[in-house]
Amino acid sequence: MVSWESRFMELMDYYETNGRWPSQSMGTLGEWVHKQRGFYARNDKNYMKDKAPRLDEVGFEWTPRGNTRLKWDEGFELLVTLFTKLQFGDHYLFEHSQFSRICSPCIISRS
């Protein structure tokens, strides 16, 4: 059995080489990544105390394929921005914005 620390180092090597995190379909490292996300999603007490902070420090993406989980205040700020734009008649399609990742498809009619 490979230790958590060994997999973590393997993950860092992968990221440094490829510039992205491995998907869960990428063999044993992908399976390990999937398990880490599962522990995080379940808010496992021991995991959140010891291992999650290590992954946070290196900017690990907790949601796969670029899906984004925002902090409450970040989401609120985006909502206020959207409301402000709509309030002043600035209607458009948020194709490549954070809005489309949050509420996909987030299509606003163009006047």
Side-chain angles (χ1 to χ4, degrees):
M1 182 169 175
V2 179
S3 70
W4 190 92
E5 189 64 34
S6 295
R7 284 284 187 234
F8 178 76
M9 296 308 296
E10 185 180 347
L11 176 69
M12 296 313 302
D13 289 343
Y14 181 91
Y15 185 79
E16 288 175 18
T17 301
N18 298 287
R20 61 184 175 84
W21 305 108
S23 70
Q24 67 186 38
S25 64
M26 300 183 86
T28 55
L29 182 58
E31 290 173 13
W32 184 84
V33 164
H34 180 68
K35 287 179 184 177
Q36 303 315 298
R37 289 177 174 145
F39 287 128
Y40 185 84
R42 288 187 299 278
N43 203 23
D44 181 274
K45 186 177 179 179
N46 291 328
Y47 184 82
M48 298 305 284
K49 179 182 172 191
D50 300 322
K51 295 180 176 138
R54 297 270 318 274
L55 290 165
D56 278 337
E57 287 174 10
V58 298
F60 182 71
E61 291 179 355
W62 291 106
T63 55
R65 293 179 290 281
N67 295 328
T68 304
R69 284 192 184 171
L70 296 175
K71 294 179 181 171
W72 188 91
D73 56 336
E74 293 170 335
F76 182 74
E77 185 178 326
L78 285 173
L79 182 61
V80 168
T81 301
L82 173 61
F83 179 77
T84 302
K85 288 181 181 290
L86 294 176
Q87 184 178 8
F88 294 105
D90 190 8
H91 304 275
Y92 57 93
L93 174 64
F94 291 95
E95 277 183 54
H96 301 289
S97 70
Q98 288 183 328
F99 295 112
S100 66
R101 290 195 303 269
I102 297 166
C103 56
S104 182
C106 190
I107 300 174
I108 313 298
S109 64
R110 186 179 181 115
S111 305

